Amino acid sequence: MITSVLVANRGEIACRVFRTCRELGVSTVAVYSDADASALHVREADAAVRLPGAAPADTYLRGDLIVKAALAAGADAVHPGYGFLSENAEFARAVMDAGLVWIGPPPSAIEAMASKTRAKQLMGGAPLDPSTVTDADLPLLVKAAAGGGGRGMRVVRELASLAAELETAGSEAASAFGDGEVFLEPYIERGRHVEVQVLADAYGTVWALGTRDCSLQRRHQKVIEESPAPGLPDALVATLHESAVTAARAVGYRGAGTVEFLISPEGRAHFLEMNTRLQVEHPVTEAVFGIDLVAQQLRVAEGEALPPGPPPGRGHAVEARLYAEDPSKGWRPQTGVLHALEVSGCLPAHRPMSAGGGSPQAPDGPALRAGGEAVHGLPWVRVDTGYAAGDSIGVHYDPMIAKVIAWAPTRDQAVRRLAHALRRARVHGPVTNRALLVRSLEHPEFTGAQLDTGFYERNLDALTLPGDGERYAAIAAALADAAARRGAWRNLHSQPQVKAYGAHEVRYRLTRDGFLLVDDPGVRVVHVTPHRVRLEIDGVVRPFDVTGHGDGFVHVDSPAGAYALPVRPRFTEPRERTRPGSLLAPMPGTVVRVGEGLAEGVRVTQGQPLVWLEAMKMEHRILSPASGTLTALHAVPGRQVEVGTLLAVVQNADVHNADVQEEREA
């Protein structure tokens, strides 16, 4: 029997595993880098061991340190989570050699499947040879052999860029997974990403737990996932299940794993890879089948046998990944303090979830299950997160804040529940993709189950346009601020007061009868307090909750949506002047390299990559804003920089801020 589990991971997945361990009566041990010293997963564990340093290569990728931590803390088992060392056979062997239980598949299965190149060969395919590809093979996809999550992945549409994309993909893969091997495969336009969850024991039983569609992706990293994958013919589902079970049996698999496929527009299934670990999107399968996959992992690791067949699936579940990023600016990651994280209709994420089973009951049943408790009259909404209010989102790791999951008897109901929960959520702090998620869930292509991996490439511009609600939110913010500073009204006519938030200027007067808006005749002010404003908009009264946290933003929440509006100061603060052509760091991060042959006095051209920054496990290229001479180069590999740090100066350049091209962009 397992009595104490060390989770060789961090953040959301560590907290997720801890929840199940607590329900099963198993003690927990966390490991943490210096950057994670006060992280939620450290606070929630029964014991924690420091891994000195901040970079993954020095901490969460150091298997020797993690094994020592498990032994020192008295753990008798190790759960790898996902990412980092979760698909590293050497680490699995080291855990077992130390006398600890490995909560995962045998190292031989990891070796067979964790390398995407070996997995393709095992399943009857082979990667393309870079030296033999031609224009006829385009487009191509460069992929990391040892990992996933979109890191180390690039789309190549021109042969001239192949060598550079192989190099950058390998660099990113080495940083994220400790292995820089990459390979090539054909890139299928408008394909669907569909996967099968498998669960296997040591006695030959293998379950195929339905399908998941994970087609909505940005930079080849999943954003919205659902189960079951909608609209697939029964024959294709049967083929996917059979292929997944065959793959698991072929390598003597044990525990939870996922077999991934790309479905072409013609309906043909192409094997992509097998992830020999738990997937980020596993909660949608748990919701549909009413089981706790982490609990099943522990039971299989303890030697228990699975029943002959899986439980029946019920209903539909959809998951959205909430990221600290700005989709309107190339998905640029964001950092800062998370002041609030509250999701409507959801029990707190730290409460345990059911480890045994029982599908969530339909609305006409006795109860809906969420967080491990029976709750009447609430939608089934779940949040998995590694953050709590007051925590800081830093630069060292993935920018995912939380996963929000909704279950319902039908797909339409589940999608509607999730969109409603996200729209009404209070998420205060760095800019997030929350608005994009809501609009994605409500987009006709998604609601109509017309899914493929090009969704954001086609629709991103429309999905990130500011709506009318932002104007009303700015009005509410201005009036709430005025109420907090309210003085006597003036009997004599005077110039209106002006407050600015982002692109919006709000002009108003305080009269005997209250606030009067100058530029918004269709809006009437009904009621104003420092934290709540009610506006009548075209005859309909709508409430707005206004909150400030002193971080340069005002947060406005309403039933129609939520907004984080930057506060424009009344008077411009003096700033240090920068020379024309200065390239300033657009985000905090680490300089990983500079362009080959760059030095002061070298001639550069507009759009030429000069500096590579790594932030939140992604690489970003800083491009020359114009053609000219490089008169200063302050970027040094390994240097940590903050937003606004001067990286380089290009003489005669007219643009003052660095242009950023996301390395994952197709």
Side-chain angles (χ1 to χ4, degrees), residues 186 237 477 524:
V237 172
R524 184 176 70 88

Side-chain angles (χ1 to χ4, degrees), residues 346-384:
C346 178
L347 292 181
H350 66 270
R351 301 230 186 139
M353 57 177 283
S354 172
S359 296
Q361 298 297 308
D364 56 354
L368 299 167
R369 295 192 61 83
E373 297 185 7
V375 287
H376 296 268
L378 288 177
W380 199 96
V381 177
R382 164 180 162 184
V383 173
D384 285 8

Side-chain angles (χ1 to χ4, degrees), residues 188 328 333 350 641:
I188 297 177
S328 67
H350 66 270
V641 298

Side-chain angles (χ1 to χ4, degrees), residues 438-448 455 459 463:
V438 174
R439 292 180 178 183
S440 299
L441 292 166
E442 295 176 342
H443 193 279
E445 287 185 25
F446 185 81
T447 57
F455 177 83
N459 300 309
L463 291 170

Side-chain angles (χ1 to χ4, degrees), residues 526-549:
V526 177
H527 182 69
V528 176
T529 72
H531 299 291
R532 189 170 178 85
V533 175
R534 295 170 66 214
L535 302 175
E536 183 181 286
I537 304 169
D538 297 329
V540 180
V541 177
R542 302 189 185 277
F544 298 83
D545 293 316
V546 182
T547 310
H549 299 282

Side-chain angles (χ1 to χ4, degrees), residues 142-216:
V142 183
K143 296 180 68 174
R151 288 175 284 278
M153 191 177 294
R154 301 290 185 280
V155 174
V156 180
R157 300 185 184 277
E158 298 179 357
L159 283 182
S161 64
L162 177 59
E165 298 292 14
L166 286 168
E167 180 183 359
T168 51
S171 173
E172 191 172 88
S175 174
F177 313 115
D179 185 341
E181 181 188 356
V182 296
F183 66 95
L184 287 175
E185 65 181 23
Y187 179 65
I188 297 177
E189 304 276 8
R190 304 199 69 161
R192 286 183 64 178
H193 187 124
V194 176
E195 60 193 31
V196 176
Q197 175 73 59
V198 295
L199 186 66
D201 63 18
Y203 310 101
T205 299
V206 181
W207 289 358
L209 291 165
T211 57
R212 294 189 293 248
D213 190 290
C214 310
S215 297
L216 266 64

